[in-house]
Amino acid sequence: MHKAMIVDQDPMVSYLIREYLECDGRFEVVGEFQEMESALAFLRQNDAGLMILDFCLPDYHERALLGELYKTGNKTELILVTAARDAASLYRAMHLGAIDYLVKPFSYKRLLKALDKYIDYTKTVEGLRLADQETVDYLLHAPDAKDTGAAKGMVAGSDIERRILEDMAGGQGRDFTAKELADGLQVSVVTVRRYLKRLNDAGRVISDIDYQTGGHPRIVYRLP
């Protein structure tokens, strides 16, 4: 269960976000706050992996927030929500390194997409043993269908990763080749290999070489 806190000056927005999180089922709301100072006081004594933050709080200053998170060593990621639509606000938000940026009013579907990005990001970072450029690029820029080579209408981004892991879990511990997984997902082998490499680097799948093929060796993958 992922611990989340909500910081929004509008009680109705805070209530709506809480309802969305409880409906999602993967998150526990550990605190709701209407001003930044009380939220930071909470973080000094408690952990929260995710802060869903109103970007326009009266007492909010991004430097103070980042300084506090750094000082406490708290690994809290941000999803920013705001009614502001100006370019300056977007620019400031991007410099905070937030997981996502939602413009009010936003739908449950759009918040769910942001939550999926957060979970995908944390799983990768927590399991990371080494980082190559592809892994860094993935963390900084969530892939879409254009990046993965998925055909129009097919799953893309974190959906491909989720489907790979689900298919492997359904195989009851057996080894898979990239081609077998690609055929099941109806995407290219190149795409699946990219995700398998990232999953392997993160320790979420294990790769091995199968020499018992009667021909050329092949790379196979299984769950840890």
Side-chain angles (χ1 to χ4, degrees), residues 83-96:
R85 298 170 183 268
D86 57 287
S89 294
L90 177 59
Y91 180 80
R92 288 168 54 209
M94 291 174 66
H95 276 259
L96 274 176

Side-chain angles (χ1 to χ4, degrees), residues 46-202:
N46 303 274
D47 292 326
L50 175 64
M51 178 189 294
I52 301 179
L53 170 65
D54 180 358
F55 195 54
C56 298
L57 290 173
D59 67 337
Y60 169 78
H61 194 284
E62 54 262 36
R63 288 185 180 178
L65 171 61
L66 292 178
E68 188 70 28
L69 293 178
Y70 178 79
K71 182 172 64 177
T72 61
N74 205 306
K75 298 179 180 180
T76 304
E77 302 295 340
L78 303 175
I79 292 177
L80 301 178
V81 297
T82 181
R85 298 170 183 268
D86 57 287
S89 294
L90 177 59
Y91 180 80
R92 288 168 54 209
M94 291 174 66
H95 276 259
L96 274 176
I99 294 291
D100 211 338
Y101 184 87
L102 306 180
V103 178
K104 299 177 183 179
F106 51 86
S107 66
Y108 172 65
K109 182 178 180 180
R110 182 61 184 86
L111 177 61
L112 182 61
K113 181 178 180 180
L115 298 176
D116 286 342
K117 287 174 65 176
Y118 164 75
I119 290 176
D120 185 54
Y121 178 89
T122 54
K123 282 182 178 178
T124 300
V125 171
E126 288 170 1
L128 194 62
R129 293 196 302 262
L130 56 90
D132 58 13
Q133 188 62 57
E134 184 176 5
T135 304
V136 172
D137 290 344
Y138 182 91
L139 292 172
L140 293 179
H141 310 286
D144 55 22
K146 177 180 65 177
D147 298 324
T148 61
K152 185 176 181 181
M154 297 297 180
V155 293
S158 61
D159 286 338
I160 292 180
E161 180 179 292
R162 174 181 56 79
R163 288 278 303 279
I164 288 173
L165 294 173
E166 286 177 353
D167 286 358
M168 295 180 75
Q172 298 180 340
R174 76 176 183 88
D175 293 344
F176 288 84
T177 66
K179 186 177 186 308
E180 287 176 312
L181 293 166
D183 289 346
L185 270 66
Q186 299 182 46
V187 295
S188 72
V189 176
V190 173
T191 295
V192 170
R193 281 178 180 153
R194 289 179 58 192
Y195 280 92
L196 286 170
K197 180 181 184 301
R198 194 175 67 81
L199 288 166
N200 184 56
D201 288 344

Side-chain angles (χ1 to χ4, degrees), residues 1-4 26-29 49-50 118-119 122-123 126:
M1 187 74 73
H2 297 272
K3 294 182 179 181
R26 296 173 294 179
F27 293 85
E28 174 191 2
V29 178
L50 175 64
Y118 164 75
I119 290 176
T122 54
K123 282 182 178 178
E126 288 170 1

